[in-house]
Amino acid sequence: MSQPRRSTFPLSKLAAITAVVLAVGGGWYYWSKHKGADAAGGYRTETVQRGDIRVAISATGTLSAITTVTVGSQISGQVTDVLVDFNSPVKKGDILAKIDPSTYQAQLEQGNAQIASARAQLAQAQASLRNAGLDFQRKQELAGKKLIAQSDLDLSRTARDQAQAQVNAAQASIRQQSASLKTTEVNISRAVIRSPVDGVVLTRSIDPGQTVAANFSAPVLFTIAEDLSKMKIELAVDESDIGQVHVGQTVSFTADAFPNRQFKGVVKQVRMAATTTNNVVTYPVVVSVDNSDGTLLPGLTVNAQIEVNKRDGVLKVGNAALRFKPADGSPLAEMKPEGAGPSSGNGSRGAGMGDDLKTMVATLALKPEQKTAFDAALEEMQRKQAERAAQWQSGAKAQSQNGGSKLFGGGGMRSGGGNGGGDANMMAQMRARMRDRMSQQFAAFVATLDDTQRGQWTAGVDALVNAKRVLAYKLVNGKPQPVMIKVGASDGSNTEVSGRDIKDGDTIISGERTAAESK
């Protein structure tokens, strides 16, 4: 019987082959990893994407009815009946409660008796007046015939006048008693408390048998919310955010009572009455809410988001890419965007301004002659910008040859950089100069616009001049390239960006990797 053959493959050769495979695999991994790092230039990056930007302001507030009416009592007395309770729906004129009217009914009977007495006195005074009038008439005839003395005629006239005065006094007494009687009748009607509006009873403060005292002020017996299908929220918005809030903006909010639902509202009023609490200034913002389904309740605390800006389908990039600033000594710090010049600090602020102006005037519906005037002014502006850039670059080159340029200040001025007030003042001066320059360069074109077009042009130019621009670094074929980017709305994580040197899919540097990260 033959013995099985044993493998004679040396273990040393197997170990050698394994070592070679591991070395090749490790080398491939190392090469692929460093190739990716080299492609990114050893940088952390953010990708420009197209999407939506939603900017919202957070605030808290309380839900309430649009109109809340307090119902009180104008008379004092004991409550005999209460006909409604909490949450009772009521219509205008419905009886809410009744107060014992016995005291006022007694006053009514007393007033009727006083009026009757005053009428009797009037009848007596009128009889006296008739008698005095007849006596005066007879004596007047006799005096005409010289049969009585003049003093007798005077006494008769006086008696008649006194009788007339008594009649007048009796009539006034009747009017006085009638007015007092009407007051008593009104108080009796007030003993029945009715709803002044259609709504829902929110609070009830009385019970049958309770005594109401209205001697000094009307006590509040009921609170009625009018039409809870429409409600309001009064938000407290911080002073730093109030400038962005305007009537008509959309508001979304949640309430702890309904954690799985989100509700909508609309800003209806921005009030000027500021409130200061612990040195924090807030302004009330009133939001109207549709509550047709009756879900929301008065008094709920809500957490609201006021949508102050919404940009759909715009280019956006992570904020880290816009905050990035090269470290001192980094090669990026020496790079300048194409066309950098004195008018911008970070590269020509006019770079791309022509494209922005073309886009803006496309909305003005220009006539052919207006379009011709605009094209001529734009061409002249771009020519002068090119001349200024050439002069500045020539001066920068000369200064560099004479000992090093300080024009860029060690990496240049970045919008929103750390130079504090100096940068802010410089940027304000630059904007003012650019605004003046554009007013001069486009004066002939603006003269051709009507009032509506001129207002749109002015607003558009202000928006372009005041637009914030930052210096960023884009990777082009794996190499960094400085670009100026105009930034817009930001939601805290991403920011809207635009410019002639930026497009969807671009890679923007957000940081430089350390040696350890690059391995």
Side-chain angles (χ1 to χ4, degrees):
M1 184 174 179
S2 63
Q3 297 292 327
R5 297 183 62 183
R6 297 180 180 272
S7 175
T8 59
F9 193 81
L11 292 178
S12 59
K13 290 185 177 181
L14 179 61
I17 293 173
T18 302
V20 170
V21 171
L22 291 175
V24 171
W28 177 86
Y29 174 78
Y30 180 85
W31 173 83
S32 61
K33 181 177 179 181
H34 281 72
K35 180 182 178 182
D38 292 340
Y43 304 112
R44 293 187 296 273
T45 60
E46 297 281 347
T47 301
V48 177
Q49 300 176 348
R50 191 167 294 278
D52 301 337
I53 294 286
R54 178 178 177 270
V55 184
I57 293 173
S58 299
T60 59
T62 304
L63 269 165
S64 63
I66 292 179
T67 302
T68 301
V69 180
T70 57
V71 181
S73 174
Q74 295 176 282
I75 65 171
S76 301
Q78 187 178 41
V79 178
T80 58
D81 298 284
V82 177
L83 305 180
V84 295
D85 201 352
F86 292 91
N87 300 338
S88 296
V90 294
K91 298 291 184 181
K92 183 177 181 179
D94 286 355
I95 298 176
L96 305 178
K98 294 181 180 179
I99 295 177
D100 183 9
S102 301
T103 301
Y104 300 100
Q105 288 175 344
Q107 291 177 358
L108 180 64
E109 293 177 1
Q110 182 181 3
N112 286 328
Q114 290 173 342
I115 289 177
S117 176
R119 286 174 177 170
Q121 293 176 359
L122 175 62
Q124 182 179 359
Q126 287 174 336
S128 299
L129 175 62
R130 284 194 299 271
N131 184 45
L134 292 174
D135 182 67
F136 174 71
Q137 186 176 1
R138 289 192 298 267
K139 289 184 178 180
Q140 191 175 30
E141 293 175 354
L142 293 173
K145 297 177 181 180
K146 305 297 183 180
L147 297 177
I148 61 173
Q150 183 64 35
S151 60
D152 292 336
L153 178 62
D154 293 340
L155 288 174
S156 178
R157 181 185 291 110
T158 300
R160 184 201 64 178
D161 292 344
Q162 289 176 344
Q164 180 64 57
Q166 289 176 354
V167 169
N168 294 340
Q171 292 174 338
S173 177
I174 291 175
R175 290 194 296 272
Q176 181 181 9
Q177 296 300 328
S178 298
S180 178
L181 187 65
K182 288 182 179 179
T183 300
T184 302
E185 291 173 345
V186 170
N187 285 334
I188 291 176
S189 68
R190 288 173 175 171
V192 178
I193 301 173
R194 300 178 181 273
S195 173
V197 295
D198 297 346
V200 177
V201 177
L202 297 183
T203 63
R204 173 177 63 83
S205 305
I206 57 169
D207 294 298
Q210 184 175 342
T211 299
V212 175
N215 295 330
F216 301 102
S217 62
V220 176
L221 308 182
F222 303 93
T223 301
I224 299 176
E226 184 179 2
D227 188 12
L228 288 180
S229 65
K230 297 185 182 298
M231 302 184 71
K232 69 178 181 180
I233 309 171
E234 187 169 316
L235 299 174
V237 178
D238 191 86
E239 62 176 328
S240 61
D241 298 324
I242 195 65
Q244 304 178 66
V245 181
H246 304 287
V247 173
Q249 290 174 335
T250 301
V251 179
S252 60
F253 64 93
T254 59
D256 291 341
F258 309 100
N260 298 324
R261 287 193 59 179
Q262 187 174 69
F263 304 90
K264 296 290 184 180
V266 178
V267 175
K268 284 298 181 183
Q269 188 179 45
V270 180
R271 294 178 178 171
M272 301 181 185
T275 301
T276 303
T277 304
N278 295 328
N279 294 326
V280 177
V281 180
T282 59
Y283 288 83
V285 174
V286 179
V287 177
S288 65
V289 178
D290 183 11
N291 189 36
S292 301
D293 59 359
T295 301
L296 297 171
L297 305 175
L300 287 178
T301 299
V302 301
N303 299 307
Q305 299 281 330
I306 304 174
E307 188 176 276
V308 298
N309 196 0
K310 185 177 182 181
R311 303 284 293 164
D312 297 330
V314 298
L315 294 178
K316 63 179 183 178
V317 71
N319 288 347
L322 304 179
R323 292 193 299 264
F324 170 65
K325 182 178 180 182
D328 292 341
S330 168
L332 296 181
E334 302 301 324
M335 294 183 178
K336 304 301 165 196
E338 182 181 356
S343 63
S344 65
N346 276 347
S348 178
R349 193 175 182 84
M353 179 68 76
D355 295 336
D356 292 337
L357 288 173
K358 290 178 181 179
T359 302
M360 188 260 290
V361 299
T363 64
L364 301 183
L366 298 180
K367 298 176 181 178
E369 58 272 19
Q370 293 174 326
K371 183 66 167 59
T372 300
F374 170 75
D375 290 341
L378 180 61
E379 182 178 356
E380 179 65 14
M381 182 192 77
Q382 292 174 334
R383 184 186 65 80
K384 291 184 177 179
Q385 284 179 349
E387 291 179 354
R388 286 194 298 271
Q391 292 174 357
W392 186 86
Q393 289 177 351
S394 176
K397 182 178 180 181
Q399 185 171 356
S400 177
Q401 293 174 348
N402 291 331
S405 174
K406 297 182 180 179
L407 293 174
F408 295 114
M413 183 187 68
R414 294 178 56 83
S415 179
N419 292 337
D423 283 357
N425 292 334
M426 186 179 298
M427 294 304 295
Q429 294 173 5
M430 290 177 182
R431 293 189 182 103
R433 286 197 298 268
M434 177 169 283
R435 190 179 291 106
D436 293 341
R437 187 178 297 130
M438 292 188 67
S439 296
Q440 297 172 4
Q441 292 173 343
F442 288 89
F445 162 68
V446 173
T448 66
L449 303 178
D450 58 33
D451 291 342
T452 301
Q453 290 174 323
R454 189 175 295 109
Q456 293 174 341
W457 165 264
T458 302
V461 169
D462 284 344
L464 291 176
V465 171
N466 293 326
K468 183 180 179 182
R469 289 171 170 82
V470 299
L471 177 61
Y473 297 87
K474 179 177 69 172
L475 286 178
V476 180
N477 297 324
K479 296 182 179 180
Q481 174 182 313
V483 293
M484 291 300 299
I485 299 178
K486 183 171 68 175
V487 300
S490 176
D491 61 7
S493 299
N494 297 281
T495 298
E496 176 189 1
V497 294
S498 60
R500 64 178 182 180
D501 297 323
I502 199 75
K503 64 181 183 300
D504 190 8
D506 282 349
T507 302
I508 308 299
I509 296 175
S510 61
E512 297 181 84
R513 293 177 178 171
T514 63
E517 291 176 317
S518 300
K519 290 182 179 180

